[in-house]
Amino acid sequence: MAVVHQSCVGYVAEPFASLVAGYPGDDVYPQADFRTEWGPVFHRGRLDGSARVLVLGQDPATHESISRRILVGEAGQRVQGLLAKVGVHTAYVMVNVYLYSVFGQAAGSRHVKNEAIAEYRHRWLDALLVGTDVTAVLALGDLAAKAYERWARTQPDAAAALHVAAIRHPTYAEGSARASGRPLAETTAAQLANWNEHLDDLAAHVAAEGPTDLTPYAAGWGPTDLAPIPEVDLPAGAPGWWRDVAAWATRQGDDKQTKRATISVVVPKGARTWPAL
Ligand code: URA
């Protein structure tokens, strides 16, 4: 029997059709600070009103630039694992603070108060959070927490009804280890301790779709802590390995310009199922 695949139908219904038709370009997102050349990446998850949790991430990276959905790479799989713990497998919708990948460390912080960027982001958040069945918001990292608070001031009634879990960004551990010189094991333990603090409260504020597992994270990532991205989240025809935990897209280049211009996509070893020649 033929395999029946599921896929994300994209931006067919309003207000999302109009939102993507009118996305801001490099007049709003300066090219010095954003990799606008890779195009905007808008969301991942349900746009049909069935989402119960909204995840607010930061900005798309390499895997997202290729798959055209956000939070698909390792950061996304860590979040997917966290959602699975509270019994949420597909009833979520995710958007980022920024439509485009941030270029340079300080660029993200520089634009967190940018009016034009916020105005477009607020239109998405209004569509996803005002008068919908979303009960909880998971904000990933400081920029997402700030962006959410800014939106909440514009929609105080809707915001009052939402539980907000502002957690460390899923790749906080790597960034913090790089910036501070502390061992990765230490920063990972700090990140997971922070996630543990939010687990029970988050579970109490979302309607689980399936069994929950509120066993706290250990001090390091366990084998089942990352969850693969569901097929239904990606555009039709996306190869299965785009949803794999193994990394498959990296920036390459010996200088900044080449690296900005180049994403290398390599089929992970485990997905090379073709016959040897
Ligand atoms: N990818 C995203 O789309 N968002 C993040 O916050 C991190 C990685």
Side-chain angles (χ1 to χ4, degrees):
M1 210 170 74
V3 177
V4 176
H5 290 281
Q6 295 183 301
S7 57
C8 173
V9 294
Y11 311 98
V12 284
E14 291 297 352
F16 306 106
S18 297
L19 278 168
V20 301
Y23 71 78
D26 49 27
D27 49 333
V28 168
Y29 279 88
Q31 279 199 297
D33 288 339
F34 294 97
R35 298 178 169 101
T36 52
E37 63 278 7
W38 289 95
V41 192
F42 298 103
H43 101 296
R44 174 158 78 83
R46 314 285 76 76
L47 296 178
D48 61 358
S50 64
R52 300 291 177 269
V53 180
L54 177 124
V55 178
L56 184 56
Q58 192 177 297
D59 66 304
T62 51
H63 294 82
E64 292 77 18
S65 297
I66 304 298
S67 66
R68 313 313 299 172
R69 293 295 180 270
I70 72 159
L71 285 160
V72 166
E74 190 165 24
Q77 310 212 2
R78 289 176 179 177
V79 175
Q80 199 74 32
L82 174 61
L83 291 172
K85 272 177 164 302
V86 298
V88 173
H89 301 281
T90 55
Y92 50 74
V93 62
M94 307 183 181
V95 288
N96 277 327
V97 172
Y98 298 122
L99 290 176
Y100 300 94
S101 181
V102 167
F103 183 68
Q105 287 227 315
S109 315
R110 221 175 359 256
H111 291 280
V112 75
K113 291 189 179 155
N114 182 312
E115 288 286 341
I117 291 177
E119 189 273 330
Y120 182 78
R121 181 173 62 233
H122 288 181
R123 283 160 56 201
W124 272 85
L125 292 175
D126 287 351
L128 297 171
L129 294 175
V130 180
T132 70
D133 290 336
V134 170
T135 56
V137 173
L138 190 57
L140 310 179
D142 292 343
L143 294 182
K146 283 188 183 138
Y148 174 77
E149 282 162 21
R150 191 184 170 95
W151 170 82
R153 287 196 291 275
T154 69
Q155 294 284 1
D157 292 343
L162 292 166
H163 172 73
V164 183
I167 64 170
R168 293 248 161 101
H169 189 272
T171 57
Y172 162 87
E174 285 78 2
S176 164
R178 253 193 321 272
S180 68
R182 283 159 66 205
L184 181 60
E186 202 179 287
T187 55
T188 301
Q191 172 177 330
L192 293 175
N194 168 267
W195 284 22
N196 282 336
E197 284 168 24
H198 293 273
L199 261 186
D200 289 344
D201 238 11
L202 182 60
H205 288 90
V206 294
E209 301 171 84
T212 58
D213 174 8
L214 299 177
T215 314
Y217 289 96
W221 295 105
T224 58
D225 287 341
L226 275 67
I229 309 303
E231 185 179 46
V232 68
D233 283 12
L234 293 190
W241 49 267
W242 281 13
R243 302 181 285 113
D244 209 283
V245 180
W248 49 265
T250 48
R251 292 193 204 286
Q252 299 285 337
D254 292 335
D255 57 83
K256 263 189 165 180
Q257 286 307 310
T258 313
K259 206 166 175 185
R260 179 165 173 162
T262 313
I263 295 177
S264 161
V265 175
V266 179
V267 179
K269 286 220 165 74
R272 298 179 194 177
T273 51
W274 55 83
L277 296 175

